[in-house]
């Protein structure tokens, strides 16, 4: 099992928070730092929102070890050609540590506020499939690429210089839609990510992904299986109960959603169950951007018991 940290980039993130979190994640031994790509939250009030690509460029230069990337960059306001170009360059700058997460887009509020067309569901996923193909083809082809789609068109396009890593940064596709998202991940992705799934649910989805991989002619080992989920941890039962009460949450309902909740020993047991269901990497959604003590708690009391780092 690998543990990474995931930050909601629209939830108050600024340069001060980002720099402190990045250094803590690197120093404490987490495998990676990932972040969302949004302008705002789905509901008010609006908070600080550090843009994705400058933050990843800084990370590529100022860290040495951790993997990082968007979870995920949506094609609804990020053009796939630019995602491929910037992804190549940031991956090269970092020495090959970027994981290139891409998505269809989902949050209506930010698209309305900033004037981007989210599209009805079918068109959104048609555009998503085209975008994934464009990114994949530009990163992997050593010859000029032509593409004629409804949303994107290329004519003898080629990324130069070629990525330093063969085929460029690995593509991550997130989602559990059986009809379109999971088959697309089985065809193109190096990592498949789902969110907030209890062990039984993840096991079911994982078995289905294995079938899709076989149908795509790819061995299951070619696809990393990861999950992003919420977190509640404290150094004592009393402090945990106070934290849950303050937020109006209870352990049972959180665990039913796949959220990690408890003191350190309870986290170890929950992570073991997730590992048994097929999860290889957990992105811990870290909503409190100032809670560096919590990161240290996970690193010192949970990570040594669940990871091979």
């Amino acid at each position: 099992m690998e543990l990474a940290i995931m930050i909601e980039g629209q939830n108050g993130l600024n340069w001060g928070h980002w720099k402190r979190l990045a250094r803590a994640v690197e120093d404490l031994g987490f495998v990676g730092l990932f972040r969302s790509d949004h302008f705002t939250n789905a509901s008010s009030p609006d908070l600080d929102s550090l843009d994705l690509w400058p933050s990843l460029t800084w990370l590529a230069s100022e860290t040495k070890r951790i993997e990082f990337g968007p979870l995920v960059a949506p094609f609804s306001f990020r053009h796939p050609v630019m995602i491929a170009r910037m992804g190549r360059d940031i991956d090269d700058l970092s020495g090959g540590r970027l994981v290139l997460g891409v998505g269809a887009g989902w949050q209506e509020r930010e698209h309305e506020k900033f004037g981007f067309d989210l599209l009805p569901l079918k068109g959104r996923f048609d555009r998503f499939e085209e975008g994934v193909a464009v990114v994949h083809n530009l990163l992997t082809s050593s010859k000029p690429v032509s593409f004629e789609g409804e949303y994107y068109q290329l004519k003898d396009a080629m990324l130069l210089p070629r990525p330093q890593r063969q085929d460029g940064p690995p593509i991550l596709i997130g989602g559990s839609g059986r009809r379109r998202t999971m088959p697309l991940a089985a065809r193109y992705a190096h990592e498949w990510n789902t969110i907030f799934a209890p062990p039984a649910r993840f096991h079911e989805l994982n078995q289905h992904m294995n079938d899709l991989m076989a149908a795509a002619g790819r061995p299951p080992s070619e696809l990393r299986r990861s999950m992003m989920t919420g977190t509640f941890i404290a150094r004592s039962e009393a402090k945990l109960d106070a934290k849950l009460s303050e937020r109006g949450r209870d352990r049972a309902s959180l665990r039913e959603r796949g959220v990690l909740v408890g003191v350190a020993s309870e986290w170890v047991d929950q992570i073991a169950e997730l590992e048994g269901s097929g999860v290889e990497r957990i992105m811990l959604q870290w909503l409190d951007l100032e809670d560096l003590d919590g990161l240290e708690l996970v690193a010192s009391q949970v990570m040594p018991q669940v990871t091979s780092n």
Side-chain angles (χ1 to χ4, degrees):
M1 178 63 73
E2 296 177 335
L3 298 184
I5 298 299
M6 185 270 179
I7 301 300
E8 296 292 348
Q10 75 287 355
N11 197 39
L13 187 65
N14 53 40
W15 279 115
H17 285 136
W18 184 242
K19 291 177 180 181
R20 286 191 294 272
L21 284 163
R23 289 171 179 138
V25 169
E26 173 108 331
D27 293 344
L28 290 170
F30 292 95
V31 73
L33 176 60
F34 297 83
R35 52 153 299 177
S36 63
D37 185 13
H38 290 293
F39 288 83
T40 67
N41 276 316
S43 59
S44 61
D46 292 339
L47 303 171
D48 288 352
S49 178
L50 187 63
D51 189 66
L52 172 72
W53 295 107
S55 71
L56 297 186
T57 304
W58 180 89
L59 202 67
S61 296
E62 298 297 325
T63 61
K64 304 299 182 185
R65 180 188 58 79
I66 54 174
E67 294 185 8
F68 60 89
L71 200 67
V72 290
F75 293 128
S76 52
F77 55 75
R78 303 286 191 188
H79 196 286
V81 170
M82 299 308 298
I83 287 178
R85 282 173 56 86
M86 290 187 288
R88 171 205 60 186
D89 292 340
I90 293 174
D91 189 55
D92 287 352
L93 181 63
S94 72
R97 294 184 286 125
L98 177 71
V99 178
L100 190 56
V102 294
W106 64 271
Q107 193 211 105
E108 294 182 5
R109 183 171 180 263
E110 66 185 343
H111 289 79
E112 291 174 355
K113 287 175 72 71
F114 288 91
F116 293 99
D117 193 355
L118 182 59
L119 298 180
L121 201 58
K122 181 184 182 303
R124 191 185 316 166
F125 278 88
D126 289 344
R127 179 172 62 188
F128 180 40
E129 291 186 4
E130 287 189 17
V132 172
V134 167
V135 171
H136 173 269
N137 292 346
L138 286 173
L139 289 175
T140 61
S141 178
S142 59
K143 299 179 180 179
V145 173
S146 294
F147 185 90
E148 189 64 36
E150 180 179 355
Y151 298 95
Y152 307 113
Q153 297 82 39
L154 305 179
K155 184 177 180 180
D156 295 332
M158 189 171 182
L159 293 187
L160 293 173
R162 299 301 301 148
Q164 293 176 12
R165 244 200 299 191
Q166 183 175 356
D167 296 336
I171 293 174
L172 177 151
I173 292 176
S176 56
R178 289 174 176 252
R179 190 170 69 88
R180 302 194 70 169
T181 305
M182 292 181 70
L184 195 65
R187 182 178 178 187
Y188 288 110
H190 300 81
E191 180 170 345
W192 164 62
N193 180 271
T194 191
I195 62 171
F196 291 91
R201 172 64 172 161
F202 191 92
H203 176 74
E204 176 190 350
L205 291 170
N206 196 41
Q207 292 300 111
H208 182 59
M209 180 58 79
N210 286 340
D211 294 339
L212 292 172
M213 292 287 288
R218 299 177 64 194
S221 59
E222 284 190 0
L223 186 70
R224 176 191 284 153
R225 321 302 168 99
S226 63
M227 184 175 82
M228 190 280 286
T229 194
T231 58
F232 285 87
I233 192 169
R235 294 185 181 274
S236 69
E237 295 284 356
K239 289 182 178 180
L240 179 66
D241 289 341
K243 182 182 291 189
L244 293 173
S245 176
E246 179 184 348
R247 301 188 185 182
R249 305 294 180 87
D250 66 271
R251 297 189 193 204
S253 61
L254 288 169
R255 287 178 179 171
E256 286 176 2
R257 296 176 56 218
V259 174
L260 294 176
V261 55
V263 295
S265 60
E266 293 173 292
W267 268 46
V268 171
D269 293 340
Q270 292 170 70
I271 290 171
E273 290 185 44
L274 288 169
E275 186 173 18
S277 73
V279 180
E280 296 173 313
R281 172 178 289 186
I282 300 176
M283 280 83 154
L284 304 173
Q285 186 189 44
W286 210 255
L287 296 178
D288 187 346
L289 302 178
E290 297 183 355
D291 185 15
L292 301 185
D293 179 69
L295 290 179
E296 194 280 331
L297 174 59
V298 175
S300 63
Q301 296 190 26
V302 177
M303 201 183 315
Q305 300 185 65
V306 302
T307 74
S308 58
N309 291 345

